[in-house]
Amino acid sequence: MRVLREPDRLQRICWRWRAEKKRIALVPTMGALHDGHLSLLQRARRECERVVMSLFVNPLQFDRKRDFRAYPRDFSRDVRLARALGVDILFAPSSDLFFPSGFETCVRVENLSRPLDGRFRPGHFEGVATVVGKLLILSAPHRAYFGEKDFQQAVIIGRLIRDLHVPVLSVVCPTIRASDGLALSSRNGRLSLSQRIRARSIYQALCVGKELILKGEKNPKRILEAMRRVLNVDRVDYVEVSDPKRLTSLKTLRRPVLLSAAAWFGKTRLIDNLLVK
Ligand code: AMP
């Protein structure tokens, strides 16, 4: 496995691979790898001949500076895990190289970036779309792998790929959960023991919503109320019943439905979602 810092070196190698007709996978991450990331890397490894994993804690997508500084980082462990999984290139650019001096371009996926997390994290999805756009151009992958855990992000990237005619297939992989249902996230490590125990209530709330829908409940308001009653969190940003394509809230229920929630435990914010087909 090669660890690369320079965008132009990544681009040169990937273009050579393309000329050699190798199928390239891109798996963008912010590191602090857990089994959720590993599931993406394993699938990429199975489906493609060359795997590029990016590791970049993207400053553009953090709406709070403190969150950026506190984001977990463990580079040597990530390198070990990536190597063990058969990653070919770990691309970990420094900000200076990744953002050329005078950098001022922004990719904005207008409407899909507005609801859900977009309402609470101004500029977040512009930061994500801009950096993922750069990574797609640099690595010229045939397939790019994203987690359903960040459902809105996956929908936004799908739109970006279609709108900009990026010749890549986006592969969205299922959410990997701890045994109590909590979606794995690099941020889980920041929870205290009691926060960690209460954090499972996010998934429990989503399951309560799903059960009601499957039993025939048609009123989103009643579903949201039942979900909120289950949450045992310090603060709720949102609980939503949305259209999974447009991400807008549903006034009357029609399946498929996206149930999602974002909530705080002290200074840690977690998100999760469940698609009810
Ligand atoms: P991150 O490092 O948090 O930016 O995540 C990198 C990629 O891993 C994104 O596409 C995430 O959606 C995906 N991911 C994060 N957590 C999980 C999980 N628990 N299960 C599956 N994929 C995940």
Side-chain angles (χ1 to χ4, degrees), residues 27-40 54-57 61 71 128 145-151 153-154 157 171-178 182-188 272:
V27 183
T29 82
M30 297 203 299
L33 299 183
H34 52 66
D35 284 351
H37 298 114
L38 302 192
S39 72
L40 269 54
S54 63
L55 193 171
F56 183 58
V57 184
Q61 76 182 66
Y71 197 82
V128 171
Y145 294 80
F146 301 94
E148 200 174 76
K149 153 81 170 35
D150 299 283
F151 194 94
Q153 169 176 291
I157 301 298
V171 181
V172 181
C173 307
T175 302
I176 305 297
R177 300 179 177 281
L182 177 67
L184 297 190
S185 158
S186 305
R187 289 190 167 89
N188 292 352
D272 198 357

Side-chain angles (χ1 to χ4, degrees), residues 80-203:
R80 251 194 343 268
L81 287 170
R83 182 173 288 126
L85 277 168
V87 168
D88 296 289
I89 290 183
L90 192 160
F91 176 57
S94 64
S95 270
D96 304 359
L97 293 173
F98 202 49
F99 300 116
S101 108
F103 180 86
E104 58 170 337
T105 300
C106 169
V107 179
R108 189 165 64 232
V109 179
E110 290 279 353
N111 291 328
L112 291 171
S113 299
R114 271 198 260 273
L116 302 175
D117 255 32
R119 272 181 56 211
F120 292 88
R121 303 191 66 189
H124 169 69
F125 288 116
E126 284 87 339
V128 171
T130 303
V131 161
V132 171
K134 284 163 72 67
L135 291 169
L136 289 170
I137 291 170
L138 287 171
S139 58
H142 297 82
R143 293 177 177 219
Y145 294 80
F146 301 94
E148 200 174 76
K149 153 81 170 35
D150 299 283
F151 194 94
Q152 186 170 16
Q153 169 176 291
V155 173
I156 287 171
I157 301 298
R159 188 73 254 166
L160 175 161
I161 287 170
R162 283 192 297 280
D163 287 355
L164 300 183
H165 308 279
V166 185
V168 63
L169 178 74
S170 133
V171 181
V172 181
C173 307
T175 302
I176 305 297
R177 300 179 177 281
S179 54
D180 64 354
L182 177 67
L184 297 190
S185 158
S186 305
R187 289 190 167 89
N188 292 352
R190 284 178 12 199
L191 300 171
S192 70
L193 182 60
S194 69
Q195 289 171 340
R196 172 63 189 82
I197 291 167
R198 287 188 293 124
R200 70 173 76 151
S201 69
I202 300 181
Y203 182 62

